[in-house]
Amino acid sequence: MLPSWVLLLVFFFVPILLTFYFAFTNLSLTGASSAATQFVGFRNFASMFADPTFRISVLKTIIFLIFSAVIGQQVLGLLLAILMNERNRVFRSVIGVLVLAGWVTPEIVVAFIFFAFFSNNGTFDMILGWFHIKAIAWLYTFPMVSVVVANIWHGTAFSMLVYQAALGDVPKEILESAEIDGAGRFQRLFRVTLPVIKGSIATNMVLITLQTLGLFTLIYSLTGGGPGNKTETLPIYMYQQAFSDYQLGYGTAISLILLVIGIIASFVYMRMLKIEM
């Protein structure tokens, strides 16, 4: 076990400790503080909470998280899993390949695909033109909608696979008994299936939440956080502070806020679904 512990220490525990340390310093890439880093206590956090751009980024992050992960990927993934579970083998193969194609596609490629789809006079505007609907510059008019849709398309397959496995573990005898007792399709879903798979629901929500909170490449490549700061989530804001303004200590402090948001969201999910930890 010694080699494994050494690898964990060097590449996991040490970076975590350094992250906590740098968050309380004035570390930067250039200037006097890059050569003589000083401990500044909670000054980075005080500046952060006083910055209106940070508050806007937190709001944008929560909006993006709720609509693209909690609602979008979660609900669509469950619906696709139910359809895949009830349809024939050909349907499952075709839909499975189409959905998985979005998941295995790299984020940078997904960004270029949706840039071509949502750009001015792009594919979507061409489709709207068939119905005599005026073209819309989606990336400028509705940038958050654009990145939410792109992330849903890219990440839904993971939720679908999780729920496919979970639905396979639901005892058929319980579903058959509920049907004999007169329970309809929706009653069986909400009163039998969902309570049985609530552990998988909580696990999936935690995983896609953590993945969405740290999403950077897709948003940065598609909109760059703009126009203005309309899609500037916390990872984008952190990147700009750390690598555009060269304030690594300040950027590291923002990463800790992301960690706290992820922990709070995980506990909320567990409490809502009454999962024992």
Side-chain angles (χ1 to χ4, degrees):
M1 296 293 291
L2 182 60
S4 300
W5 280 108
V6 170
L7 290 174
L8 281 174
L9 179 66
V10 174
F11 295 106
F12 186 73
F13 292 112
V14 171
I16 288 178
L17 293 175
L18 288 175
T19 297
F20 277 92
Y21 171 71
F22 290 147
F24 296 93
T25 66
N26 63 346
L27 178 67
S28 65
L29 287 175
T30 61
S33 58
S34 63
T37 302
Q38 296 179 349
F39 184 81
V40 295
F42 289 93
R43 191 174 73 186
N44 288 330
F45 296 93
S47 300
M48 187 190 313
F49 288 110
D51 185 0
T53 304
F54 169 75
R55 296 194 291 270
I56 293 174
S57 297
V58 172
L59 178 62
K60 298 298 182 183
T61 301
I62 294 174
I63 292 173
F64 180 69
L65 174 64
I66 291 174
F67 286 99
S68 74
V70 178
I71 296 177
Q73 295 181 32
Q74 181 90 347
V75 175
L76 184 57
L78 178 60
L79 292 176
L80 287 172
I82 293 173
L83 289 175
M84 297 273 284
N85 196 45
E86 296 179 351
R87 300 295 177 178
N88 57 42
R89 186 173 181 179
V90 175
F91 179 87
R92 290 199 300 269
S93 299
V94 173
I95 298 300
V97 170
L98 291 176
V99 176
L100 287 173
W103 189 39
V104 300
T105 304
E107 287 184 12
I108 185 66
V109 179
V110 174
F112 279 108
I113 290 173
F114 277 89
F115 183 83
F117 187 74
F118 283 124
S119 62
N120 193 21
N121 296 319
T123 306
F124 194 37
D125 282 343
M126 182 181 67
I127 294 173
L128 293 178
W130 297 343
F131 301 95
H132 305 289
I133 300 176
K134 186 179 179 181
I136 301 174
W138 294 93
L139 293 175
Y140 294 95
T141 309
F142 302 104
M144 183 58 75
V145 174
S146 302
V147 295
V148 164
V149 171
N151 192 47
I152 291 174
W153 182 83
H154 179 58
T156 296
F158 178 80
S159 297
M160 183 190 73
L161 293 175
V162 170
Y163 290 131
Q164 271 190 285
L167 291 174
D169 293 333
V170 177
K172 294 183 179 180
E173 296 81 7
I174 300 179
L175 293 173
E176 291 173 356
S177 299
E179 187 175 3
I180 292 173
D181 290 338
R185 180 186 295 268
F186 289 102
Q187 288 178 314
R188 295 197 300 273
L189 174 64
F190 288 101
R191 294 176 179 265
V192 178
T193 302
L194 294 184
V196 171
I197 67 170
K198 67 178 183 179
S200 298
I201 294 175
T203 301
N204 182 63
M205 289 183 70
V206 170
L207 292 176
I208 63 175
T209 293
L210 296 178
Q211 187 274 332
T212 303
L213 282 175
L215 190 72
F216 173 81
T217 304
L218 178 61
I219 299 176
Y220 190 78
S221 302
L222 190 58
T223 65
N229 56 7
K230 291 183 178 179
T231 57
E232 188 180 66
T233 57
L234 278 177
I236 304 294
Y237 178 71
M238 177 177 62
Y239 172 83
Q240 291 174 344
Q241 296 299 317
F243 299 106
S244 295
D245 295 340
Y246 307 128
Q247 301 301 314
L248 288 179
Y250 189 75
T252 307
I254 298 171
S255 71
L256 292 186
I257 300 299
L258 268 175
L259 176 62
V260 171
I261 293 175
I263 293 173
I264 293 173
S266 300
F267 276 107
V268 170
Y269 297 153
M270 296 297 181
R271 295 292 295 176
M272 288 175 59
L273 296 170
K274 298 180 181 179
I275 302 295
E276 294 184 2
M277 293 178 289

